[in-house]
Amino acid sequence: MQRRYDLDWVRVCAFGVLVLYHVGMYYVTWDWHVKSLHASHALEPFMVLTAPWRLSLLFLVSGAATAFMFSRIHTRPDAGGSRLRLLGTRSWTLLVPLVFGMVVVVTPQSYYEVVEQLPGGYHHGYLTFWGQYLSGYEGFCDADGCLRVPTWNHLWFVAYLWVYTVVIWLLWCLAPRPLQALGRGVEHALSGLGALVWPALLLALLRVTLSARFESTHALVDDWYNHAQYFAVFLLGFLLARADRFWDALAHLRWPALVLWLASWAGIIVYFVSYAEAEPPSALRMAMRAVWGLNQWCAIAAVLGFARHWNPGNNRALRYLVPAVFPVYILHQTIIVVAAHNLQPLGIPPLAEGPLLVAITFALAVLGYEGIRRVAWLRPLFGLKVGGVATPALPATRGNT
């Protein structure tokens, strides 16, 4: 098997886009931990350019990576014991950083959120807040409700990824033949034009039927619309990881997918602007939910299709970036929140402050990674192996192409 460098590049770039998106959250009117005094609607159309599909793409690539990781077990003589060790290793890689992140890394996000948004402000120091945070203090409340602490904030992705991995692992162990049969059926359906049509219809259906009933919470236990869409694409990536017909179809359909993605994005923006202060007709609202699902899959298909077509290879930059992704992901949002809050007194114009905030985030996150990978006891706290050279926090993505 040759390494799928195209998926490595997709994963790295997708996490890079995530950093830019979270910097953008500081400048738009949507609710977030801290807000710029100059927050406006100006960036919101560009945020919507990636909002429907960015995380779904990451779950799909993670599903494919999980399939390649699992497939290596079949070649070992002690497959049963290897399966248990695999789940244990995967749980260690994901859950240790999740717990450490909730206790240490994301706490400043909640602190500055309370400082900026609590009525009357918060006048105690960080250590006092940290003690209240760890004790589950319920008094951080405003008109919109109370802040629940401790929290995983942006690390919800790690929790969801672990749960989906466990579900797939159980299916893989207890029902391997039905899982294989499902994979063959999905591969047959998603060859040719079906690679673009059927996933788009599924995501549109999920959006139409579930999004109004289940608000996006990222709280795991009550987040059913997100589970439906994210587990669907995770399973899709797992089932089709080595289905060449599917990947080749995406490469062939990359231009139609790109056109449909941008056209549906433009339609969504026109819809939001037209009904910013008015109630849309019910039929139109349902139609635009379907358009959202179309946008979601066409963007993913375009990204994966162009990556497959270009087939970018290995180089020093990729070898550095692949293991850096997970630590940078864990650190980046806290860096954004802390830096943004502390830049406010300087009064820097947003057009200058935004790029500066992006540069600070990437620089400090990479600097943090450089320190983490050199300290043995820090490495597992950020998803890296204790010894040896840095390795990817998510499984290597390998395939037969």
Side-chain angles (χ1 to χ4, degrees):
M1 293 191 300
Q2 296 178 341
R3 190 173 182 95
R4 287 287 304 274
Y5 296 116
D6 60 328
L7 295 185
D8 281 333
W9 278 112
V10 166
R11 177 172 169 267
V12 167
C13 292
F15 275 108
V17 169
L18 186 66
V19 173
L20 299 178
Y21 185 88
H22 284 152
V23 171
M25 286 295 294
Y26 179 59
Y27 293 101
V28 296
T29 61
W30 308 336
D31 184 45
W32 205 53
H33 307 286
V34 294
K35 301 304 299 183
S36 169
L37 298 176
H38 304 282
S40 70
H41 298 292
L43 282 180
E44 289 172 7
F46 301 100
M47 301 284 280
V48 176
L49 189 61
T50 64
W53 57 269
R54 184 187 66 256
L55 290 163
S56 298
L57 174 64
L58 286 171
F59 277 114
L60 188 147
V61 173
S62 297
T66 302
F68 296 132
M69 177 178 60
F70 283 12
S71 68
R72 294 196 291 271
I73 298 300
H74 292 298
T75 62
R76 300 180 183 179
D78 60 334
S82 296
R83 288 182 177 184
L84 287 174
R85 287 193 296 272
L86 176 66
L87 182 62
T89 300
R90 190 69 174 136
S91 297
W92 175 268
T93 302
L94 294 175
L95 295 183
V96 170
L98 176 61
V99 173
F100 176 74
M102 292 177 65
V103 172
V104 177
V105 178
V106 306
T107 311
Q109 299 178 35
S110 298
Y111 172 69
Y112 284 111
E113 181 176 351
V114 167
V115 168
E116 288 199 8
Q117 300 184 20
L118 195 69
Y122 183 79
H123 305 291
H124 300 291
Y126 180 76
L127 291 179
T128 299
F129 172 83
W130 195 14
Q132 294 174 316
Y133 173 93
L134 294 177
S135 68
Y137 180 66
E138 298 179 352
F140 300 128
C141 301
D142 59 18
D144 296 324
C146 298
L147 177 66
R148 295 184 178 181
V149 293
T151 178
W152 48 45
N153 283 350
H154 71 291
L155 299 182
W156 68 268
F157 175 84
V158 181
Y160 283 44
L161 183 57
W162 179 77
V163 171
Y164 298 164
T165 302
V166 172
V167 172
I168 288 291
W169 183 86
L170 289 172
L171 292 173
W172 180 58
C173 292
L174 302 178
R177 291 184 179 179
L179 193 62
Q180 292 169 3
L182 177 62
R184 290 190 294 269
V186 171
E187 180 180 357
H188 177 74
L190 269 59
S191 59
L193 188 60
L196 191 61
V197 172
W198 297 119
L201 287 177
L202 173 62
L203 292 173
L205 178 64
L206 294 176
R207 183 76 178 180
V208 168
T209 58
L210 297 179
S211 62
R213 297 179 59 191
F214 301 104
E215 182 183 0
S216 178
T217 66
H218 299 153
L220 188 64
V221 295
D222 58 354
D223 204 15
W224 295 112
Y225 167 61
N226 278 336
H227 283 313
Q229 60 171 333
Y230 293 147
F231 183 71
V233 294
F234 181 86
L235 179 61
L236 193 66
F238 181 87
L239 295 175
L240 298 175
R242 291 187 288 177
D244 284 341
R245 288 193 300 172
F246 169 72
W247 298 102
D248 291 341
L250 292 183
H252 181 71
L253 295 166
R254 65 191 185 279
W255 284 109
L258 178 63
V259 171
L260 287 171
W261 165 29
L262 296 178
S264 58
W265 166 73
I268 291 170
I269 297 304
V270 170
Y271 170 75
F272 284 160
V273 171
S274 301
Y275 293 96
E277 298 181 1
E279 186 73 13
S282 178
L284 179 60
R285 182 189 293 112
M286 290 298 178
M288 293 311 300
R289 287 173 183 167
V291 170
W292 183 280
L294 173 70
N295 175 278
Q296 190 174 6
W297 180 251
C298 287
I300 292 172
V303 170
L304 295 177
F306 276 101
R308 175 76 167 189
H309 175 74
W310 290 332
N311 193 25
N314 190 22
N315 57 36
R316 291 182 62 185
L318 184 65
R319 289 192 293 272
Y320 179 83
L321 290 171
V322 166
V325 162
F326 199 32
V328 168
Y329 164 71
I330 292 171
L331 292 171
H332 82 277
Q333 185 162 293
T334 295
I335 294 172
I336 294 170
V337 169
V338 174
H341 178 84
N342 287 281
L343 284 174
Q344 288 178 1
L346 300 180
I348 303 173
L351 288 178
E353 184 187 51
L356 176 62
L357 192 53
V358 170
I360 290 173
T361 302
F362 278 114
L364 292 183
V366 171
L367 184 64
Y369 167 65
E370 283 294 325
I372 290 162
R373 70 174 184 156
R374 288 171 167 79
V375 180
W377 64 269
L378 280 177
R379 292 174 63 90
L381 300 178
F382 291 87
L384 301 176
K385 291 183 178 179
V386 174
V389 296
T391 54
L394 300 181
T397 52
R398 294 179 179 270
N400 57 356
T401 59

